[in-house]
Amino acid sequence: MLSERRVAIIGAGVIGASIADALASRGVRVTLFDMRAPGAGASQASAGVLAPFIEAKPGSPLLALGARSLLMWDDFMAGVRDRAPGHEVEYVRTGTLEVALSDEEHAHLTTAAAWLASEGVTHDWLEGPALVARAPMVTSAARGALHLPDHRIVNVGALVRALVQAARLSGAVCVTPTEIVHVEQVRHGVEVRIGDQRHTFDHVVIAAGSWTRRVRVAGVPVFPVRPIRGQLLHVRWPDGARPAHSIWGTRCYTVPWADGSLLVGATVEDVGFDERATVAGVRELMDAVVGLLPSAADASLEAVRVGLRPATADHLPLLGPLSSHPGVILAAGHYRNGILLAPLTADIVSKLVLNNERDAALDLVSPERFYGYT
Ligand code: GLY
């Protein structure tokens, strides 16, 4: 049965596009806005590694959120492939190898392995000939590596294109480039202003990444999201060699793509809304990747990519409705884990919109946990 609900989504990155697909495929009338093209913001900073067991630190709720979302990925991909036929999206369970290059890093990974064991996460430790056999391109200086077989990679650009296409095929309308900066709960819904015009929706989902802070909701302070720049490189070995796994060091991580290139990520820079690639950023990544995979010195540099991750003070998303504006739902601030958390975020927002159902995870990520959101 078709729902008559109308939902506006501000931001067509991976989060906005996942929510658009989830809602449109369930009969909601979705309008998806973006000030640029879909996927031009934080998605550009993503290497597409789904790695909650590296990204989450002991004690962080990110472990439970990330592990839950990781479990949803196979179905999420099956859904988008079904609804966007002809869109190839690379999604591979490569696993990750987190490499220790010093005594200190070895001790750190040993502690991490013990913690992951206590959390029931499948992993194993490789060193000596076993590490060389598994990852011969890793530097011979490596002291060992933590292997996490359930980690995966996904091609984010292709994914966003497929999600937007899937949403469109289910009836969503994509309006770009259009920036929405005024949102207000009114008597019969939520009003957005576009120039002189006002449009009313049942819900407005704000998923504008770092630009969420530019969207003003009447009477609500600026949303506490700030941009953290990530620069990434694409490199390619002349003979097509590259590691089979996603290899991580303390200064960079790498992602092997099916086209034979290797993505090297990523800088973490607090430089405001500056989306330039810089000599210092590229040099930092080049030094780091050669330290991890020495033969990268002979690889060609094919491209540099830049994106702005949306960060909050505790590095968890702002997710859920505002109590003062119940039709306004935040889905922003996913920082380093927007791709990983996209299926869970889309599911949580869909349940709110379709059934007014509050997922228990909302207690961890409510936008109102920060001062001023009451
Ligand atoms: N997800 C890894 C990063 O943001 O660099």
Side-chain angles (χ1 to χ4, degrees):
M1 193 178 77
L2 282 188
S3 155
E4 282 309 305
R5 284 188 189 80
R6 290 153 307 142
V7 174
I9 300 170
I10 303 175
V14 73
I15 296 292
S18 299
I19 296 168
D21 174 39
L23 290 176
S25 67
R26 291 170 175 84
V28 175
R29 288 163 58 192
V30 171
T31 309
L32 181 59
F33 296 95
D34 200 289
M35 60 186 236
R36 302 192 285 198
S43 304
Q44 286 294 315
S46 174
V49 194
L50 311 176
F53 309 129
I54 294 178
E55 292 285 352
K57 303 304 167 217
S60 169
L62 183 60
L63 182 69
L65 296 172
R68 187 174 156 200
S69 201
L70 190 67
L71 282 177
M72 301 170 84
W73 262 88
D74 286 352
D75 287 346
F76 179 72
M77 285 306 302
V80 71
R81 282 173 173 153
D82 258 17
R83 291 189 289 277
H87 278 254
E88 292 299 319
V89 182
E90 191 179 343
Y91 165 64
V92 190
R93 199 172 300 225
T94 57
T96 53
L97 278 178
E98 199 176 358
V99 175
L101 297 179
S102 65
D103 288 348
E104 196 186 341
E105 289 173 16
H106 187 280
H108 168 75
L109 288 183
T110 306
T111 307
W115 170 61
L116 291 170
S118 73
E119 296 285 345
V121 175
T122 303
H123 66 281
D124 54 307
W125 180 257
L126 298 169
E127 59 184 35
L131 177 57
V132 175
R134 186 69 68 91
M137 295 173 77
V138 167
T139 172
S140 58
R143 302 280 321 278
L146 180 61
H147 176 221
L148 289 153
D150 205 21
H151 284 160
R152 307 151 199 200
I153 62 168
V154 63
N155 185 322
V156 177
L159 175 65
V160 174
R161 286 190 291 278
L163 286 165
V164 170
Q165 176 67 358
R168 279 193 171 122
L169 290 173
S170 298
V173 177
C174 196
V175 183
T176 60
T178 296
E179 185 173 18
I180 292 182
V181 290
H182 289 287
V183 175
E184 183 166 7
Q185 183 90 42
V186 293
R187 195 146 159 241
H188 298 297
V190 184
E191 189 176 87
V192 303
R193 277 188 238 160
I194 304 170
D196 295 343
Q197 296 180 341
R198 291 163 191 256
H199 301 265
T200 307
F201 297 88
D202 297 299
H203 290 274
V204 172
V205 179
I206 303 176
S210 299
W211 290 267
T212 293
R213 61 181 302 116
R214 281 173 38 170
V215 182
R216 298 309 313 271
V217 179
V220 175
V222 171
F223 296 114
V225 183
R226 69 176 208 289
I228 299 294
R229 183 167 69 190
Q231 303 187 44
L232 305 102
L233 315 176
H234 273 278
V235 301
R236 190 182 296 268
W237 273 253
D239 60 359
R242 62 191 167 74
H245 303 276
S246 168
I247 311 276
W248 288 58
T250 49
R251 295 164 61 213
C252 74
Y253 52 79
T254 69
V255 182
W257 289 114
D259 70 359
S261 69
L262 188 83
L263 195 145
V264 182
T267 61
V268 180
E269 302 167 84
D270 193 352
V271 291
F273 284 89
D274 180 350
E275 294 177 285
R276 290 175 310 125
T278 63
V279 172
V282 172
R283 185 175 61 183
E284 179 187 325
L285 293 172
M286 284 179 163
D287 286 348
V289 71
V290 171
L292 199 58
L293 308 170
S295 62
D298 191 40
S300 38
L301 175 61
E302 295 206 323
V304 184
R305 241 180 337 117
V306 185
L308 301 178
R309 306 175 185 87
T312 61
D314 60 8
H315 293 171
L316 294 175
L318 301 177
L319 180 55
L322 300 178
S323 52
S324 57
H325 297 64
V328 178
I329 299 172
L330 266 282
H334 292 69
Y335 189 42
R336 295 174 60 96
N337 291 289
I339 314 304
L340 169 66
L341 296 175
L344 179 63
T345 302
D347 184 59
I348 288 175
V349 173
S350 298
K351 287 190 297 200
L352 274 170
V353 168
L354 294 168
N355 307 322
N356 199 20
E357 183 186 331
R358 254 190 90 82
D359 191 284
L362 288 172
D363 294 339
L364 301 171
V365 290
S366 163
E368 298 180 353
R369 71 188 182 279
F370 291 112
Y371 170 74
Y373 290 89
T374 54

